[in-house]
Amino acid sequence: MKILKFGGTSVANAENIKRVLSIVKERSKTTKIGVVVSAFGGMTNMLLDTLRLAAKQSLDYEQGFGTMEHKHLSVIKDLFPVTEQSSILGKIKGELNELETLLQGAYLIGEATTQLTDKIMSYGELLSSFIITEYFKSEGLDAALKSGRELITTDENFGKATVDFKATNARCADYFANTANQITVIPGFIAASQKGKATTLGRGGSDYSAAILAGATKSEILEIWTDVSGMFTANPKLVRQAKCLSHISYEEAMELSHFGAKVLYPPTIQPVLAQGIPIAIKNTFFPDDEGTLITKNTNGTDKTVRGISHIGGITVLALEGPGMIGIPGISKRFFETLSQEHISVVMITQASSEHSICIGISDDDAQRALNAVNTAFEYEMASKKIKPVVIENNLAIIALVGDNMKSHQGLSGKMFSTLGKNNVNIRAIAQGASERNISAVIGKGDVKKALNSLHEEFFEENIKQLNLFVMGVGNVGGRFLNQIEQQRGYLKKELQLAIRVIGLSNSKRMVFDENGIALDAWQNELEQGQQADTIKFFETVKKLNFRNSIFVDNTASKAISDSYTSYLANSIAVVTCNKIACSSAYEDYHNLKQLVKKYDAPFLFETNVGAGLPIIDTLKHLIVSGDKVHKIQAVLSGSLNFVFNNFNDNTSFHDVVMEAMEKGYTEPDPTIDLSGIDVMRKILILARESGYHMELSDIENESFLPEESLRADSNDAFFSSLKKYEADFQKRYQRATKKDCKLKYVAELENGKAKVGLREIPAGHDFYNLEGSDNIVLFFTERYPDQPLIIKGAGAGADVTASGIFADIIRIGNF
């Protein structure tokens, strides 16, 4: 004997019912089977909505009834030849007439009692089971219909009746022992009291019906056929990397189903547990998939966490006060009060001081619970012994589940550390005495992030996914995206990093894709995006709430640098080549550093100094290892080094600067580079990272540009001024050449004082042979007092700057 249960999606339409026929036909070849069916997909909700409309005396209920009628009649016409439809349509129309009469009754009296609700709600299964049975028979199967009301006996707790297992088991055993039919179709969800009144087993009751029948008949297996291929490590709709669990224990299945794994209705397991009857979760649409087998044990698997699940729509209710400490009976009164209101408690946690009790309940029960508890403890609250009840709603419970969790240390720490790193605030924590479950209450908006973060930590073989939101896709940004696309395979294979770009923006358009923007066609996607808006960009990043989110700023915009505080305060990492934030007022710089500590959000800006050179990273390591910087000498402008390496008596200063700009070595406004402002910002950043409290105004700037060039209000005006003062630039060059020196724009920091300016560098100096657009930094420290630590290499250009940003992303990935 086998029991097969088919859910609403499995019997949603004629095409799906034909799939069910194929499965049932195959299973019935070797043994008798009981086939428990749900109402057609969506029908139970439709019945409930229509009844509510009728009870509100809204004539809209008639439209709902008409939709349901059309649905059933259409399925019949799609399943049966015209010559066979008459008797079936007659029976269904008769049932529908009775249903319409009941709805009219609810409309006339303006209410729906629980007993009437049970009777109306049962029509979904009554209609579907009859149609399916007749279809099986028409296709030559030896099938018969048996009402669940004749097999399952309950009390009269309408809406969610309690089963009388003694009477039910006797009826089921007797029927299946004596039936001659190979296939018996039973409507799920519905039952009857000893007096014959229609009852239901609660939402999800079709699973429960099947389990009751399996237990009563001591079936060899209970098969639950649904629209997914088993129970997964997490909800596959929320976690794309979720994997099907091939084999789990009853206890693990109960925990997962209790905490929201909707594949299985929680009470289903209990009737088969005592009999040791295995449960198979199978996919109607992919019947050859392995699915999930649920048994007494899982053959010694060494897996600790087997699944991650959650329940939404949770309210936390807290009872606390000094009058609770050491007073017997408080907990008893508290839970009795909730029980009397028929309020189910999902989770309980109590402080060891007995000062407070915190519970999780359904949002739907929150107001009733609040009123009931405040009334029950009215005296204690009036005398200030207990505080008025506090509730917090819009929450969810997330749970780690696994039989072997109790034998492994550190799982709680790993769980909470992972949530904390991703800015998931925990409101309450509970762990069962069996240590098979660790639960935490979190905000419902954090569920997807929490599930994905935990799944990545416990199931994904250390593959860490980084979600990028990139602002600025010009010269540097475009190269950066190309580098990600080029290295994607290598990063996953060698570093276990998976990088997705979720959002892109330039000054005109922005685009988001939760599944990742295709980097081989990002330009097209961006062109078709919405109008750019930096505030809306941040709000979207925040709303998407992805784990391991990183905001990447490839611009030189102050407005965008001002937004870093918002990102960091939401635990969103920031990577930038924009120097404005770290060279702005010291108070702002210090605030960013404090936000990094407070919200555990990385803020990396290696490319602020030296493009792709590891200058800031090296300096940080010197400082944290206890070294102290005494002096820094550096050529920090790749653009200026390019200019003075190529400027001579055969070229004009104007032409060399123009060439540097065309090669992307300068900022869009070249005045920023040639005025020394860019170098001032860089030495300021190095000074601050060395521990000095300095402002930009503290740095002495010995500018080589004429005042007219510095005051130019456009690039055209700037380049015109360079032509005008060409003779002055040539004189500066000739003077250095006569001394066998080269011109270099040098930044210096010594004893807390900094300055920048054009210097004549003699032969033999470390700066003398610095070529092209290279940068060089000399660190004189306590450990390197005479022979400095030298970092030298390309310090300008889109490719090297992009690679520096990329390197910062990798640093965060390895964090």
Side-chain angles (χ1 to χ4, degrees):
M1 179 77 190
K2 292 180 180 179
I3 300 293
L4 281 64
K5 180 265 176 178
F6 292 91
T9 54
S10 297
V11 294
N13 51 50
E15 182 180 350
N16 292 359
I17 293 171
K18 291 174 183 178
R19 294 176 185 271
V20 171
L21 172 74
S22 177
I23 294 166
V24 169
K25 189 174 184 179
E26 182 64 30
R27 291 296 193 276
S28 64
K29 286 179 179 178
T30 56
T31 185
K32 284 184 179 180
I33 63 171
V35 178
V36 178
V37 296
S38 296
F40 292 163
M43 193 55 57
T44 303
N45 286 335
M46 204 178 297
L47 278 163
L48 185 58
D49 292 340
T50 302
L51 174 59
R52 285 171 176 167
L53 288 171
K56 290 179 181 179
Q57 295 187 314
S58 168
L59 286 173
D60 289 344
Y61 88 88
E62 293 177 342
Q63 183 178 351
F65 174 78
T67 301
M68 292 187 290
E69 181 179 39
H70 175 74
K71 169 80 170 177
H72 288 88
L73 298 183
S74 295
V75 170
I76 293 170
K77 290 173 182 177
D78 290 339
L79 284 177
F80 299 93
V82 175
T83 55
E84 296 180 17
Q85 290 178 10
S86 179
S87 60
I88 299 167
L89 287 171
K91 169 68 174 176
I92 292 299
K93 286 181 177 179
E95 295 282 354
L96 288 168
N97 287 339
E98 292 180 11
L99 172 60
E100 185 175 24
T101 300
L102 293 172
L103 290 169
Q104 287 172 346
Y107 174 81
L108 291 172
I109 63 174
E111 68 171 316
T113 64
T114 54
Q115 184 174 349
L116 177 61
T117 300
D118 264 6
K119 191 161 188 176
I120 288 176
M121 295 299 287
S122 68
Y123 272 85
E125 277 73 12
L126 290 174
L127 295 169
S128 68
S129 60
F130 174 77
I131 294 171
I132 290 169
T133 304
E134 292 302 308
Y135 177 61
F136 285 176
K137 288 157 68 174
S138 74
E139 291 295 320
L141 298 186
D142 180 17
L145 176 64
K146 183 67 174 177
S147 174
R149 292 172 181 163
E150 298 175 16
L151 295 175
I152 301 175
T153 303
T154 69
D155 62 13
E156 294 185 358
N157 180 23
F158 300 105
K160 194 173 183 180
T162 300
V163 176
D164 180 344
F165 279 98
K166 184 176 181 181
T168 297
N169 290 347
R171 288 186 177 189
C172 291
D174 178 65
Y175 171 78
F176 283 102
N178 294 295
T179 182
N181 298 103
Q182 191 73 358
I183 301 165
T184 301
V185 179
I186 308 104
F189 176 62
I190 63 176
S193 69
Q194 287 282 11
K195 296 179 182 179
K197 294 181 179 179
T199 59
T200 63
L201 302 178
R203 296 302 295 266
S206 291
D207 281 359
Y208 193 27
S209 296
I212 292 167
L213 296 174
T217 58
K218 296 182 172 55
S219 294
E220 61 180 275
I221 193 168
L222 166 61
E223 295 181 359
I224 306 289
W225 290 85
T226 181
D227 57 355
V228 293
S229 297
M231 298 187 77
F232 282 68
T233 49
N235 185 340
K237 293 180 181 177
L238 298 177
V239 181
R240 294 176 63 197
Q241 293 81 15
K243 303 174 180 68
C244 183
L245 293 162
S246 61
H247 194 186
I248 58 174
S249 71
Y250 292 121
E251 291 78 11
E252 288 169 334
M254 279 194 288
E255 293 283 0
L256 287 171
S257 59
H258 175 70
F259 283 96
K262 296 181 180 179
V263 176
L264 194 64
Y265 181 55
T268 300
I269 297 165
Q270 295 172 5
V272 297
L273 177 60
Q275 306 286 346
I277 298 168
I279 303 173
I281 310 295
K282 301 284 286 181
N283 191 332
T284 304
F285 307 96
F286 299 96
D288 294 331
D289 285 1
E290 181 181 12
T292 298
L293 183 65
I294 304 170
T295 62
K296 186 174 183 180
N297 61 63
T298 50
N299 298 325
T301 178
D302 59 354
K303 293 286 186 181
T304 51
V305 178
R306 303 303 309 285
I308 307 166
S309 199
H310 80 283
I311 311 174
I314 294 295
T315 290
V316 164
L317 183 150
L319 183 70
E320 61 180 68
M324 295 172 60
I325 301 174
I327 306 299
I330 294 290
S331 297
K332 178 176 179 291
R333 287 174 58 198
F334 180 53
F335 290 109
E336 272 186 350
T337 300
L338 297 172
S339 176
Q340 288 165 4
E341 292 293 323
H342 302 290
I343 294 171
S344 177
V345 177
V346 181
M347 192 190 82
I348 305 168
T349 179
Q350 182 170 13
S352 57
S353 64
E354 301 180 33
H355 177 263
S356 67
I357 304 172
C358 178
I359 62 166
I361 58 177
S362 169
D363 283 342
D364 295 337
D365 296 330
Q367 193 58 50
R368 284 191 299 119
L370 177 67
N371 296 338
V373 175
N374 279 338
T375 300
F377 291 91
E378 186 176 7
Y379 170 76
E380 287 84 354
M381 291 175 185
S383 58
K384 308 295 184 184
K385 292 179 180 179
I386 293 179
K387 298 177 182 179
V389 171
V390 175
I391 63 171
E392 183 180 3
N393 51 22
N394 292 321
L395 303 175
I397 298 175
I398 193 163
L400 295 187
V401 172
D403 281 342
N404 295 330
M405 285 168 52
K406 60 185 176 183
S407 58
H408 287 76
Q409 296 178 343
L411 288 178
S412 297
K414 197 173 180 181
M415 175 183 181
F416 301 133
S417 173
T418 299
L419 295 176
K421 285 178 182 177
N422 284 279
N423 196 32
V424 177
N425 189 28
I426 298 171
R427 269 68 164 197
I429 299 167
Q431 182 167 8
S434 67
E435 299 183 47
R436 188 177 286 117
N437 173 316
I438 305 171
S439 305
V441 179
I442 63 175
K444 72 174 185 180
D446 287 329
V447 166
K448 186 174 181 180
K449 181 198 285 188
L451 286 172
N452 279 277
S453 299
L454 292 172
H455 196 273
E456 181 177 83
E457 184 68 36
F458 289 101
F459 291 102
E460 294 178 29
E461 299 176 355
N462 298 319
I463 296 291
K464 186 174 185 179
Q465 183 170 288
L466 306 179
N467 296 295
L468 309 190
F469 299 87
V470 182
M471 183 77 73
V473 289
N475 219 1
V476 172
R479 305 291 177 87
F480 169 63
L481 296 176
N482 291 340
Q483 290 176 11
I484 293 176
E485 175 69 4
Q486 178 184 328
Q487 291 298 102
R488 193 190 300 272
Y490 174 86
L491 293 175
K492 192 165 186 179
K493 180 180 179 182
E494 300 297 332
L495 300 182
Q496 286 75 53
L497 291 177
I499 297 181
R500 296 190 309 175
V501 177
I502 305 298
L504 282 178
S505 180
N506 58 20
S507 60
K508 297 179 180 179
R509 315 296 293 175
M510 65 183 187
V511 65
F512 294 89
D513 187 335
E514 293 186 42
N515 296 317
I517 294 168
L519 295 185
D520 57 354
W522 64 266
Q523 294 95 335
N524 293 334
E525 292 199 39
L526 187 57
E527 285 176 8
Q528 297 170 18
Q530 58 187 299
Q531 184 176 347
D533 183 324
T534 54
I535 295 174
K536 190 174 181 181
F537 191 90
F538 164 71
E539 292 296 335
T540 304
V541 176
K542 183 180 175 183
K543 183 180 178 180
L544 288 173
N545 202 21
F546 277 114
R547 70 196 189 283
N548 304 326
S549 289
I550 304 174
F551 174 64
V552 183
D553 178 14
N554 296 319
T555 75
S557 165
K558 182 179 185 304
I560 294 173
S561 71
D562 288 343
S563 71
Y564 296 171
T565 55
S566 298
Y567 286 99
L568 294 173
N570 284 277
S571 293
I572 298 166
V574 174
V575 170
T576 181
C577 59
N578 186 341
K579 291 177 280 292
I580 294 175
C582 290
S583 60
S584 60
Y586 183 84
E587 183 181 349
D588 296 336
Y589 163 83
H590 180 70
N591 181 46
L592 290 173
K593 291 287 188 173
Q594 293 303 112
L595 289 172
V596 168
K597 296 176 183 177
K598 183 175 181 180
Y599 294 101
D600 196 23
F603 173 44
L604 299 183
F605 44 91
E606 184 65 68
T607 50
N608 278 196
V609 182
L613 296 176
I615 295 172
I616 293 175
D617 194 53
T618 300
L619 177 57
K620 286 180 178 179
H621 284 122
L622 289 173
I623 300 301
V624 299
S625 66
D627 204 354
K628 186 175 182 180
V629 174
H630 294 310
K631 181 170 65 173
I632 298 175
Q633 291 181 328
V635 174
L636 294 174
S637 173
S639 55
L640 285 172
N641 197 44
F642 175 86
V643 167
F644 287 109
N645 276 338
N646 289 276
F647 174 57
N648 54 49
D649 51 6
N650 294 318
T651 62
S652 72
F653 194 70
H654 166 278
D655 290 348
V656 175
V657 175
M658 182 66 76
E659 183 183 358
M661 184 177 175
E662 290 172 352
K663 289 181 178 292
Y665 291 155
T666 71
E667 299 288 349
D669 176 5
T671 312
I672 296 173
D673 295 279
L674 273 74
S675 66
I677 291 293
D678 186 62
V679 178
M680 289 172 69
R681 287 172 175 163
K682 291 175 179 177
I683 195 65
L684 175 64
I685 292 168
L686 292 182
R688 288 175 171 177
E689 291 297 302
S690 299
Y692 293 103
H693 184 152
M694 291 182 68
E695 300 288 358
L696 192 64
S697 57
D698 296 328
I699 299 171
E700 182 183 349
N701 182 4
E702 302 170 5
S703 177
F704 66 88
L705 285 179
E707 280 296 318
E708 184 178 337
S709 300
L710 291 171
R711 292 196 305 269
D713 57 5
S714 68
N715 281 358
D716 289 341
F718 174 73
F719 280 107
S720 294
S721 73
L722 296 186
K723 288 181 179 180
K724 182 177 179 180
Y725 291 96
E726 177 65 24
D728 292 342
F729 298 130
Q730 286 292 343
K731 286 178 184 178
R732 193 76 181 254
Y733 170 77
Q734 294 295 340
R735 188 165 57 242
T737 302
K738 287 178 181 178
K739 297 178 184 179
D740 194 24
C741 292
K742 291 184 177 180
L743 293 174
K744 302 291 179 185
Y745 200 86
V746 177
E748 299 174 87
L749 172 70
E750 187 171 8
N751 298 323
K753 295 183 177 181
K755 60 183 178 180
V756 300
L758 194 62
R759 303 283 183 265
E760 295 175 351
I761 304 299
H765 192 281
D766 290 310
F767 294 171
Y768 186 82
N769 291 316
L770 193 66
E771 298 179 350
S773 60
D774 284 1
N775 281 188
I776 186 170
V777 179
L778 311 182
F779 288 116
F780 294 88
T781 71
E782 287 186 355
R783 295 176 190 158
Y784 301 92
D786 302 316
Q787 295 298 321
L789 174 62
I790 301 175
I791 300 173
K792 178 182 177 183
D799 279 323
V800 292
T801 303
S803 70
I805 295 167
F806 202 167
D808 275 347
I809 301 291
I810 302 306
R811 287 186 182 96
I812 292 175
N814 291 330
F815 178 68

